[in-house]
Each structure stands twice: as structure tokens, then as C-alpha cells.
Amino acid sequence: MGEERKNYPPHRSISLDWDSAEMERYWKPIFDKYDTDKDGTIPLRYLKSILKSGEDLRHDFPDEVIEEILEWADINHDGLLSYDEFLRMLHARELGEARPRFQRIVRFAALAVVPKNQQAITVRRYIEEYNCYPPPIFLLLISLIEIGIFIYYCVKYGELSASGPVPIDSVLIYNPKRRYEAWRYLTYMFIHAGGVHIFFNLFIQLLLGVPLEMVHKWWRVMLVYIGGVVAGSLGSSLSDPRTFLAGASGGVYALISAHLANVILNFKEMTFGWVRLLGLIIFGGSDVGVALYSRYVEDEKSRTSYAAHFAGALAGLMIGMVCLRNLKVKKWEQILGWTLFAIYAVLMMFAILWNIFYTSYYPPPDYSPLM
């Protein structure tokens, strides 16, 4: 393996002003070797046939580039590998080797989120496009805020248990008698009903959310998460008009449904597909169990609604189909995605108008000052 690498350009830090002469000297002859008709492109089918015939293509091409070439054959509609495309793959490879720790993190994120037949392309595109401004820390920041607020109320009430404290007098919690304070439809995500509730929410949103951010960028994940949170409160207000609402489960279930759709659609291509499904089922069952316990066993004022879980999951699926990156874009996927997003927009508008105009459906408003 060491002998084969002697033909490759020397490892070095990569800057924006790449030495094109050096690239030409090392890589153009190798590309021309497989460009048999000298038209500036190599048929991907031809490269695949070389691999199947047993010839050692790895003597000329790095492993990462070969992996991406094979993936590219299923994604690039013209079925040809141009020299510019080849250089972009090499560029990303050198960038990754200049930042090995960062490359390992990106590869882990791709392994967790992307099907096997798209991982090399995802890693290359992310390394090539990533500029660290801003870094993928949306869910990390949200989680730190949720932990800080939970600790604050633990200290305030002098309580820490599996199902408490539940700060029903908080200015953040969704209170059906204070619906006129519109921020509560969003800020309820910062309030959690006990240690079990916040633990499972944080665990799953970090486990699934951070890799999603690495692959899809922070703002796409933010749209899915916030869309699920708001859909959760609006859905709960329709199905459970007298119930308090606390927790980030709407956003968490939005992440689950966005991720679960990818796992189901690409089940055979996903690494550890059964483990992923089992983990999601265990979390979903545990979190719904906590919500059901709070809803039917706890004191009436501290009951939380599980309708937010269902509404958040629907929102994550509908938003994620349009918002999240799709490397293999198909016409039916575009039609389905925009159809689901249109349904989401209609449902959200209906829920908002219902909350505004159908006031008799809800308990009388409470205008008393908060303590």
C-alpha cells in the first residue's frame, strides 16, 4: 500500500490557490489513461467494468475517490466523469487529510445519517463546502438552555424526581388559560416534567440531531425542530384544549420522523438498520409512556399532552421532505415533498385560525399577574 501511494501528490495544507500545474503533472496522465477516446470524460460504466474485471484501479485512484466514483454513477445523470469532477474529489480528499480529526467527525455523521451508497459524496461535499461559520451547534445550544432552565426550577422548587418538578406557573410553559401570550406556543419546549422527561429528550435530540446538522446544515435542522415544536403546541391545543404542555417532544419527534423516513426508505443501505429502528422504538415508547403517565395519573394541572408527539412527528416528516438535503433527487420525491409541505401549511393555518377565532372552545383566559 505504501508503494502505491508514491504516485500521489505529497500531503500538504490546502489553500484556495491550488497549484494547478502540480495537479496537472500528477493527475492528468492518470485521468488520460482511462479516457480512451480522449474526449475529456470517462464513462462511469467503463470504470465500474474495470473494477469487476479484477484490474487494480486502486493503484491509480485513491480509495475515497473510487468510492465516490461508484456512488456518482447512480447520481450523475450523464454517466460521465469529467476531469473537473475528478479534481474536486481529489481536492476534498486532500482537505480531509489536512484535517484528519474533522474528517473523522464528518464520516461519523455520514455513517449515522446517510445511506451507504451516498456516504462518500456526502463527506466530500461537506468537507468542500464547510466553512465553520456558523458551526453545527444549534441543538447543542438548545440542549444547554433546556438544562439550565430545568436546573433553575429544580432549585426554585427544591425538587428533583423522575416526574418533577413541573413549573406550571412558569412564563414559558404552555398554559391553556394564557393562550393570548403567543410565545408560549414555542417556549414550552424549554420546560420539562421531571428528570426522565428531559433525559430522554436530550439524549435523542443530540444523538440524532447533531449528525443531522453535520450533514444537512444547522438551519435546515432548526426549521424541522422549530416546525415540530410549534406544530406540537397547536395540535395539542386542538385535541386537548384544557391541558398544559411542557417539553421539547414536538421538536424531538420531528427529528425522529425526519430521520426515520430516511431509515425506512433506505433500510437496506443504512448501516445497522435494525439497531436504528429498535433504538427509535425504545425511545418513542419510553417518552410516550412518560407522557401518558403525566396525562392520566398526575395531578390535573400538571398533566401534559401526548398529542404534541404525534403532531411534531407529522411536521418533521412534512418539513423534512422539502427542507433536508437530498442527494438523489427524483421527480416523485419532489412532488411528494411539496405536497406534504402544502398539507402542513394548510393544517398550521387552520390550527392558528382556530386558536384565534374559536375562543369558546378553550377555558376562560386568566389575566392575573404571574408570581
Side-chain angles (χ1 to χ4, degrees):
M1 202 65 180
E3 290 298 317
E4 294 176 355
R5 295 294 177 182
K6 287 183 179 180
N7 290 330
Y8 298 162
H11 302 303
R12 63 193 185 283
S13 299
I14 302 300
S15 62
L16 293 177
D17 54 340
W18 252 34
D19 188 342
S20 58
E22 184 181 21
M23 293 298 296
E24 288 284 331
R25 177 159 48 87
Y26 279 100
W27 293 112
K28 192 62 166 67
I30 293 176
F31 185 87
D32 290 341
K33 174 182 175 181
Y34 296 93
D35 180 14
T36 55
D37 56 3
K38 307 306 177 185
D39 65 347
T41 61
I42 304 174
L44 292 168
R45 186 174 298 178
Y46 168 62
L47 288 181
K48 294 179 74 174
S49 68
I50 294 177
L51 284 175
K52 291 180 180 178
S53 69
E55 294 185 32
D56 191 9
L57 194 67
R58 284 176 170 78
H59 178 75
D60 294 324
F61 293 92
D63 291 344
E64 301 92 332
V65 175
I66 291 178
E67 291 175 8
E68 188 172 343
I69 287 173
L70 294 177
E71 293 177 12
W72 199 276
D74 296 324
I75 294 176
N76 192 8
H77 298 297
D78 63 9
L80 300 172
L81 177 68
S82 70
Y83 184 57
D84 287 339
E85 291 170 339
F86 177 56
L87 287 183
R88 288 184 64 188
M89 297 179 196
L90 294 170
H91 188 184
R93 171 183 175 272
E94 294 292 335
L95 284 173
E97 290 194 350
R99 293 188 291 171
R101 182 174 299 178
F102 173 72
Q103 186 182 35
R104 286 196 296 268
I105 294 173
V106 174
R107 287 190 179 280
F108 171 78
L111 181 69
V113 176
V114 181
K116 286 182 286 187
N117 64 350
Q118 301 176 22
Q119 289 175 4
I121 291 178
T122 299
V123 171
R124 192 263 294 172
R125 288 186 177 178
Y126 195 88
I127 290 176
E128 189 177 56
E129 298 170 3
Y130 187 72
N131 57 13
C132 297
Y133 297 105
I137 58 172
F138 167 71
L139 285 174
L140 289 175
L141 289 176
I142 290 293
S143 299
L144 289 174
I145 294 172
E146 291 170 358
I147 292 172
I149 292 175
F150 181 74
I151 293 174
Y152 168 80
Y153 282 111
C154 285
V155 174
K156 179 178 179 179
Y157 289 98
E159 177 186 356
L160 174 59
S161 65
S163 58
V166 183
I168 60 173
D169 60 346
S170 172
V171 71
L172 302 176
I173 199 170
Y174 174 80
N175 183 338
K177 294 185 178 182
R178 306 186 78 92
R179 294 182 310 107
Y180 58 89
E181 297 172 338
W183 66 82
R184 293 176 180 265
Y185 286 89
L186 177 63
T187 59
Y188 77 93
M189 71 178 182
F190 296 118
I191 303 297
H192 287 83
V196 173
H197 193 201
I198 190 171
F199 171 79
F200 277 105
N201 277 353
L202 293 178
F203 176 76
I204 202 67
Q205 76 182 25
L206 291 175
L207 184 66
L208 292 183
V210 172
L212 278 174
E213 281 193 64
M214 291 288 292
V215 173
H216 297 282
K217 299 297 182 70
W218 70 272
W219 62 269
R220 290 187 177 95
V221 175
M222 180 187 71
L223 291 177
V224 171
Y225 189 84
I226 297 299
V229 169
V230 176
S233 57
L234 289 172
S236 177
S237 71
L238 296 181
S239 64
D240 243 344
R242 298 180 178 275
T243 300
F244 283 68
L245 186 62
S249 295
V252 171
Y253 271 80
L255 295 177
I256 290 177
S257 62
H259 184 80
L260 187 60
N262 186 40
V263 173
I264 293 174
L265 289 174
N266 303 284
F267 183 79
K268 293 183 179 180
E269 288 295 327
M270 296 299 289
T271 308
F272 306 118
W274 283 111
V275 175
R276 295 166 187 265
L277 287 179
L278 182 61
L280 294 174
I281 291 172
I282 291 175
F283 164 75
S286 301
D287 195 59
V288 170
V290 171
L292 288 172
Y293 177 81
S294 299
R295 176 67 176 83
Y296 293 110
V297 178
E298 292 288 312
D299 177 71
E300 181 177 357
K301 283 188 176 183
S302 66
R303 293 186 305 182
T304 56
S305 172
Y306 54 87
H309 301 68
F310 180 69
L314 283 180
L317 177 62
M318 294 176 175
I319 298 173
M321 288 289 291
V322 172
C323 182
L324 297 181
R325 300 173 72 178
N326 186 357
L327 293 176
K328 299 178 67 174
V329 180
K330 300 176 182 176
K331 188 66 175 179
W332 71 266
E333 291 176 335
Q334 290 181 317
I335 295 174
L336 177 61
W338 284 108
T339 300
L340 290 175
F341 185 77
I343 294 173
Y344 168 79
V346 170
L347 292 176
M348 291 289 285
M349 183 59 64
F350 171 79
I352 292 172
L353 294 176
W354 181 282
N355 271 264
I356 293 174
F357 295 108
Y358 196 10
T359 55
S360 61
Y361 181 69
Y362 300 96
D366 179 8
Y367 296 103
S368 62
L370 294 173
M371 299 298 293

